C-alpha cells in the first residue's frame, strides 16, 4: 500500500494552519461511482487532489484477448461506459470493420447514427441531471430521467435491452428497426425540446446554479489539448473539435449540425458552466441529426453484410469515434490467424478526462470540487475498464 | 501531411534513432524508433510548426509474445489534422522506455497503465506507480503479459478457479 | 398541586403538537417532492396514497441499532441530539397557539425564543466534533458559521417588528393585529415591513438549514454533515428537531407579520378554537413554501452563503430598521 506523506503547511499571512487529508470515496455520493479522491485540504480550500482509480477494474483488455472471437468482445465493450453502451459498440465495431476492410449497407449506417445520437442524448441527460444533483438540485435529475426513460423504451423495442444492448454487430445490426419505432421516435422528437426548455428554465439559467458553476474549474484550451481531453471537456474550453465533423465516420458528413463550444457566456471560457452548457446544446444538435437521419433512412437488409467468420488480416488499427464523453478509441492488433484479437486497448475518454482533475481543482473549495468533478462527467466503468 | 512526409522530416533529424518505417502496414503506416530517443522525437514532433503534434490520442503497451514488449503512440495534430503512429520495442528483460509525460500530459496515466499491465519502466516519469491494479498486487506480476499465470492465492485467499 | 399539573399539561401540548405535526409533514414533504418531480411517491402503506408511511418510517427508526463510533466522545455524542431537540422544543413554550393558550406567557417572549434556539448551534457543534469524523466536523463548522451569521439579519428583522409594535410579548403582538387582514404587520409602514418579512424568511431558511442554504448537510459534498455518524432514534431526533425548527420559524413569521392566531376576517371566525386553526395553517403554509423551495433550488457555496448574509441581508435590514424607527418616531 503506497502511502503519501504530506507535510505541506500552507501559510496565509502569519496564520499557520495544518493541512488535513480528507478521503472522498470510494463510497461517496458525488464521486459518481467508486472513485477515491485523496484531498489535501486547508480548511475547505483544496491544496491537492490525488485520484485513486481501479476499484471497478474488470480486466476488459485481458478478457478481449481471451475471447474465442471478435464478436464476443462486444458485450464487454458495452460494460465500459454503461450509460452510453451504443457508442462503445459503435467504436469497437467500426475499428474491427476498418481492420477487415468491410463495407456495410447504408441502412445499417443510418440506423447506427440514429442509435448513437439517441444514446448521446440519453447520456447527456444523465450527465445534466446528476450535475444538478451534485449541486443540490434534486428535481432536474428526475425530470432528466423521465426523458431518458423514453429513449430507453426506444432501445427496448428495438433490441430488447435497456442498458447494455449488444445491438451493433460487426457488419450489421442484431435487429432491424421494429415497425412502431418511427411513431415513437417522432413522439420523442416532438416532446423533447419542450422538456429541454423546462430543464433549462429550472437549472441552466438559475442564478444560484450559475453562481456555483461560472468561473469554477477553468480549463484553458492549451491545457485541455495537452492533457488529451476530448468531448464536451475540450469543446467547453472553446476548441471546436468534434470527430463527427473533423474525421467523419459513418454518414455524419451528410447531416447539417453545429458543434457547440464554450463561449464564456456566464464567466470564463472553459469553466464548469460552459462544459455543462455544451452538453445541453449538443442534445439539441443530436436531435437535428436524428431528424435528418430518419428522413433519409434508406431501405435494406441489416444482416446482409454480417460475415460468417470475423478474421481480420494481420495488422493493427486505431479507430476513434465521438462518444458522449469524448473520444473513444480502440487499438486492435490482429495476428492474422486466430479468431480473437491479439491485443485490444481501449482509450476511454473518461480515463483521460479525469487525469486533468488535479490540475483544474487546486485552490477551489470542497464544494467546488464536487461541481468540477460533475462537469468532467466520468463513468467509472470506463475509467477502470 | 502524409505519413511518409512526416517520416522524412524525422529521418532528416534523427537518422540514427530509426529502426524501421513500414509504409505498407495494414490500415496505417508506422515508424519504429529506438526507446532511448523517443522523447526527443516526440518533442520534435510537437514543437515543429508544420508538424505540431499537440494531441496524444492513445498510448498502448503491447506484449508481442516473443520476448519483446512495445509501446505504441498514436498522435494527432489539432492544428493540421494529420496523424502518425510511433512504436518502440524493448526486450522483456530490460523494458526501459523514455517517458513522454513532459511532452504530453495525457501520457501520465497512460504510461502508468502500461507500467501496471506490462511492467514497462518509463524513465523520467514523475510518479510511476500502479494505477488500475491494487497497490498490494505482487511486485513483478503484470497481468496483460502473455505469459501471465493467474496466481493460486491472492493475499492468502484462494482464487476460486 | 394543580398548578404543577397545569404546567405539565401546558408543556405536554407543544410536544404532542410537534410529534403529530412531524408525522404529517414527513408525508407532505415526500408527496410534494414526488409531485414536483413528476412521480407518485409513497402509494402503498396505509391504503390511500401511502398515508401510513411516516409511521412505518418512525417505527423503523425506533428499531434501528444505535451505533456509536469507537473513537467518538460518547457523552457528547449521546447528548448532542437531545440538546438540539430540547432547544427547539423549549422555544415552543413561548409560541401563542391561540388567544387563550400559551405555555409560558413571557414579557420577553420573542427574546426568549431567539436565546433558546441558539442552543441548537452548540448541539450541532457537539455532534460534529464528538463524531470524530472529518465530514461531520466540516459540516458542523459550516453549520455554526452559518447559523451565527444568519442570526444577525434574523434578529434585526425581528427588532424592526418590535420597534413597530412596541412589545416583545408574542401574545400582545398577536392582539395588536387582531383587526383582520388590513391590520397585519406586513402591511404596516409600506414597503419596509414587506422587505423585513422577506429578509426574515430568507434568513430563517438558513437558520433551519433548508435549501438553498442546506450546506451543513449537503449530501453531495459532506455525505450528511454533522449527523453522518448517527443512526436510529438519535438520528430521528435531529430529523425531528429540523422539522420542529421549520415550524418554529414559520410560526414566528406568522405571528410577527401575519397576525398569528388572529382571523384574517376580523371578528369573523375568531374564537380561540379557530385561533389554533389560523395559527397552524399560517405556519404550515410557510413550511410548505420551504418544502417547495427545497425541491426547486440548488444550494449555495459556503462563501456565497456568507456573502448573502453579511453583504446583502445585514445592511438592508439595518437600513430597514432605521427607516421603520424614524417613521415610528415621526408618527
Amino acid at each position: 500500500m503506497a502511502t503519501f506523506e504530506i507535510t505541506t503547511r500552507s501559510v496565509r499571512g502569519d496564520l499557520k494552519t495544518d493541512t488535513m487529508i480528507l478521503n472522498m470515496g470510494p463510497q461517496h455520493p458525488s464521486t459518481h461511482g467508486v472513485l477515491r479522491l485523496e484531498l489535501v485540504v486547508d480548511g475547505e480550500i483544496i491544496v491537492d487532489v490525488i485520484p485513486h482509480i481501479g476499484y471497478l477494474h474488470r480486466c476488459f483488455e485481458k478478457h478481449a484477448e481471451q475471447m474465442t472471437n471478435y464478436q464476443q468482445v462486444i458485450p464487454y465493450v458495452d460494460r465500459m461506459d454503461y450509460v452510453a453502451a451504443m457508442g462503445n459498440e459503435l467504436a469497437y465495431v467500426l475499428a474491427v470493420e476498418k481492420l477487415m476492410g468491410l463495407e456495410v449497407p447504408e441502412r445499417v449506417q443510418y440506423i447506427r447514427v440514429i442509435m448513437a445520437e439517441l444514446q448521446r442524448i440519453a447520456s447527456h441527460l444523465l450527465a445534466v441531471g446528476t450535475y444538478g444533483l451534485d449541486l443540490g438540485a434534486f428535481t432536474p435529475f428526475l425530470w432528466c430521467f423521465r426523458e431518458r426513460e423514453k429513449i430507453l423504451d426506444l432501445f427496448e423495442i428495438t433490441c430488447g435491452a435497456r442498458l447494455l444492448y449488444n445491438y451493433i454487430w460487426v457488419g450489421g445490426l442484431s435487429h432491424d428497426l421494429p415497425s412502431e419505432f418511427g411513431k415513437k421516435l417522432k413522439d420523442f422528437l416532438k416532446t423533447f425540446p419542450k422538456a429541454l426548455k423546462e430543464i433549462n428554465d429550472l437549472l441552466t439559467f438559475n442564478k444560484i446554479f450559475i453562481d456555483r458553476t461560472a468561473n469554477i474549474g477553468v480549463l484553458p484550451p492549451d491545457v485541455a489539448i495537452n492533457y488529451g481531453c476530448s468531448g464536451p471537456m475540450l469543446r467547453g474550453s472553446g476548441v471546436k473539435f468534434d470527430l463527427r465533423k473533423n474525421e467523419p465516420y459513418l454518414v455524419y458528413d451528410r447531416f447539417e449540425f453545429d458543434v457547440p463550444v464554450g463561449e464564456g457566456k456566464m464567466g470564463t471560457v472553459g469553466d464548469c458552466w460552459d462544459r455543462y452548457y455544451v452538453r445541453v446544446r449538443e442534445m439539441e444538435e443530436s436531435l437535428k441529426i436524428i431528424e435528418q437521419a430518419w428522413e433519409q433512412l434508406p431501405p435494406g437488409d441489416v444482416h446482409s453484410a454480417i460475415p460468417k467468420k470475423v478474421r481480420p488480416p494481420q495488422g493493427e488499427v486505431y479507430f476513434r469515434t465521438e462518444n458522449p464523453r469524448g473520444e473513444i478509441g480502440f487499438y486492435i492488433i490482429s495476428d492474422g490467424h486466430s479468431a480473437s484479437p491479439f491485443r485490444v486497448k481501449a482509450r476511454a475518454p473518461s480515463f483521460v478526462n479525469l487525469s486533468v482533475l488535479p490540475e483544474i481543482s487546486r485552490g477551489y473549495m470542497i464544494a467546488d470540487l464536487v461541481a468540477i468533478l460533475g462537469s468532467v462527467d466520468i463513468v467509472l466503468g470506463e475509467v477502470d475498464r | 501531411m502524409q505519413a511518409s512526409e512526416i517520416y522524412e522530416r524525422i529521418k532528416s533529424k534523427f537518422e540514427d534513432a530509426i529502426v524501421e518505417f513500414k509504409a505498407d502496414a495494414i490500415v496505417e503506416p508506422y515508424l519504429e524508433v529506438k526507446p532511448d530517443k523517443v522523447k526527443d522525437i516526440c518533442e520534435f514532433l510537437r514543437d515543429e510548426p508544420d508538424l505540431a503534434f499537440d494531441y496524444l490520442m492513445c498510448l498502448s503497451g503491447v506484449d508481442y509474445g516473443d520476448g519483446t514488449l512495445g509501446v505504441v503512440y498514436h498522435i494527432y495534430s489539432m492544428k493540421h489534422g494529420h496523424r502518425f503512429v510511433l512504436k518502440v520495442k524493448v526486450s522483456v528483460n530490460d523494458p526501459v522506455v523514455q517517458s513522454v509525460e513532459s511532452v504530453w500530459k495525457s501520457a501520465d496515466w497512460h504510461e502508468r497503465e502500461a507500467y501496471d499491465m506490462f511492467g514497462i519502466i518509463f524513465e523520467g516519469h514523475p510518479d510511476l506507480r500502479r494505477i488500475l491494479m491494487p497497490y498490494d498486487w505482487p511486485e513483478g506480476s503484470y497481468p496483460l503479459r502473455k505469459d501471465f499465470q493467474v496466481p493460486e492465492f491472492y493475499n492468502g485467499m484462494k482464487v476460486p478457479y | 398541586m394543580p398548578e404543577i399539573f397545569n404546567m405539565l399539561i401546558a408543556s405536554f401540548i407543544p410536544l404532542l403538537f410537534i410529534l403529530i405535526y412531524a408525522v404529517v409533514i414527513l408525508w407532505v414533504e415526500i408527496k410534494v417532492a414526488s409531485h414536483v418531480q413528476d412521480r407518485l411517491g409513497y402509494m402503498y402503506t396505509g391504503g390511500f396514497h401511502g398515508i401510513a408511511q411516516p409511521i412505518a418510517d418512525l417505527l423503523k427508526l425506533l428499531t434501528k441499532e444505535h451505533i456509536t463510533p469507537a473513537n467518538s466522545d460518547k457523552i457528547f455524542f449521546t447528548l448532542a441530539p437531545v440538546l438540539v431537540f430540547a432547544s427547539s422544543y423549549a422555544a415552543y413554550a413561548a409560541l401563542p397557539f391561540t388567544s387563550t393558550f400559551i405555555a409560558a406567557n413571557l414579557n420577553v417572549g420573542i427574546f426568549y425564543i431567539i436565546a433558546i434556539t441558539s442552543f441548537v448551534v452548540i448541539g450541532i457543534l457537539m455532534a460534529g466534533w464528538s463524531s470524530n469524523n472529518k465530514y461531520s466536523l466540516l459540516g458542523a463548522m459550516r453549520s455554526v458559521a452559518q447559523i451565527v451569521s444568519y442570526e444577525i439579519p434574523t434578529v434585526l428583522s425581528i427588532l424592526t417588528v418590535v420597534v413597530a409594535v412596541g412589545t416583545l410579548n408574542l401574545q400582545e403582538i398577536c392582539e395588536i393585529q387582531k383587526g383582520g387582514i388590513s391590520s397585519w404587520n406586513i402591511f404596516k409602514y409600506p414597503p419596509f415591513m414587506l422587505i423585513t418579512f422577506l429578509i426574515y424568511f430568507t434568513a430563517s431558511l438558513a437558520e433551519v438549514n433548508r435549501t438553498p442554504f442546506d450546506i451543513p448537510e449537503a449530501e453531495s459534498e459532506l455525505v450528511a454533515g454533522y449527523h453522518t455518524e448517527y443512526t436510529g432514534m438519535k438520528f430521528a431526533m435531529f430529523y425531528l428537531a429540523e422539522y420542529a425548527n421549520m415550524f418554529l420559524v414559520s410560526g414566528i413569521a406568522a405571528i410577527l407579520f401575519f397576525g398569528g392566531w388572529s382571523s384574517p376576517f376580523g371578528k369573523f371566525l375568531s374564537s380561540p378554537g379557530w385561533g389554533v386553526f389560523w395559527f397552524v395553517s399560517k405556519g404550515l403554509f410557510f413550511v410548505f413554501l420551504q418544502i417547495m423551495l427545497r425541491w426547486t433550488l440548488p444550494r449555495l457555496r459556503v462563501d456565497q452563503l456568507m456573502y448573502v448574509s453579511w453583504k446583502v441581508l445585514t445592511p438592508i435590514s439595518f437600513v430597514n430598521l432605521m427607516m421603520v424607527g424614524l417613521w415610528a418616531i415621526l408618527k
Side-chain angles (χ1 to χ4, degrees), chain C residues 12 35 96 98 109 117 120 133 267 292 315:
Chain C
F12 189 66
H35 284 91
T98 176
T117 48
V120 174
N133 175 325
K267 290 233 159 23
M292 282 302 281

Side-chain angles (χ1 to χ4, degrees), chain A residues 39 44 62 135 153 183 201 210 234 271 302 347:
Chain A
L39 310 182
E44 288 227 17
K62 193 77 181 168
L135 300 178
D153 285 345
K183 194 182 154 292
D201 290 345
I210 292 169
L234 184 66
D271 58 11
V302 297
R347 183 253 197 237

Side-chain angles (χ1 to χ4, degrees), chain A residues 21 30 44 134 139 146, chain C residues 38 134-135 142 220 295 299:
Chain A
I21 291 177
S30 56
E44 288 227 17
D134 284 343
T139 304
R146 182 191 62 200
Chain C
D38 248 3
K134 287 167 185 168
Y135 286 112
R142 282 180 175 191
S220 61
W295 300 112
R299 74 173 71 85

Side-chain angles (χ1 to χ4, degrees), chain A residues 21-24 28-30 44 134-136 138-139 142-143 146 206 208 211-212 216 366-368 370, chain C residues 36-39 134-135 138 142 211-212 219-223 295-304:
Chain A
I21 291 177
L22 187 68
N23 258 316
M24 205 174 192
H28 187 278
S30 56
E44 288 227 17
D134 284 343
L135 300 178
F138 206 94
T139 304
L142 283 148
W143 287 9
R146 182 191 62 200
N206 183 310
I208 297 175
D211 278 352
R212 283 297 306 276
I216 301 293
I366 293 176
D368 293 330
V370 172
Chain C
V36 166
Q37 291 159 358
D38 248 3
R39 57 195 176 91
K134 287 167 185 168
Y135 286 112
L138 280 174
R142 282 180 175 191
T211 316
E219 86 277 341
S220 61
E221 295 151 29
L222 299 181
V223 191
W295 300 112
T296 313
L297 296 174
R299 74 173 71 85
L300 286 164
R301 206 174 53 213
V302 190
D303 54 328
Q304 291 164 344

Side-chain angles (χ1 to χ4, degrees), chain A residues 142-208:
Chain A
L142 283 148
W143 287 9
C144 286
F145 260 61
R146 182 191 62 200
E147 296 307 312
R148 182 170 172 265
E149 204 68 7
K150 293 175 190 163
I151 298 175
L152 297 190
D153 285 345
L154 281 172
F155 288 149
E156 192 183 3
I157 59 167
T158 310
C159 63
R162 293 169 66 82
L163 200 62
L164 307 162
Y165 313 103
N166 191 12
Y167 177 63
I168 298 174
W169 286 357
V170 178
L173 303 164
S174 73
H175 301 80
D176 201 348
L177 295 180
S179 53
E180 70 267 33
F181 187 84
K183 194 182 154 292
K184 287 203 169 182
L185 181 71
K186 282 203 182 109
D187 279 353
F188 173 74
L189 292 177
K190 216 160 75 188
T191 55
F192 186 66
K194 267 185 235 154
L196 201 58
K197 194 182 168 299
E198 273 182 351
I199 292 164
N200 274 339
D201 290 345
L202 186 70
L203 189 66
T204 313
F205 298 106
N206 183 310
K207 178 82 174 73
I208 297 175

Side-chain angles (χ1 to χ4, degrees), chain C residues 59-75:
Chain C
L59 284 177
K60 181 202 76 177
L61 279 172
L62 277 169
T63 53
K64 284 257 167 171
E65 187 189 354
H66 281 252
I67 298 170
T68 313
N71 288 327
S72 63
D73 190 328
K74 297 201 174 46
I75 298 169

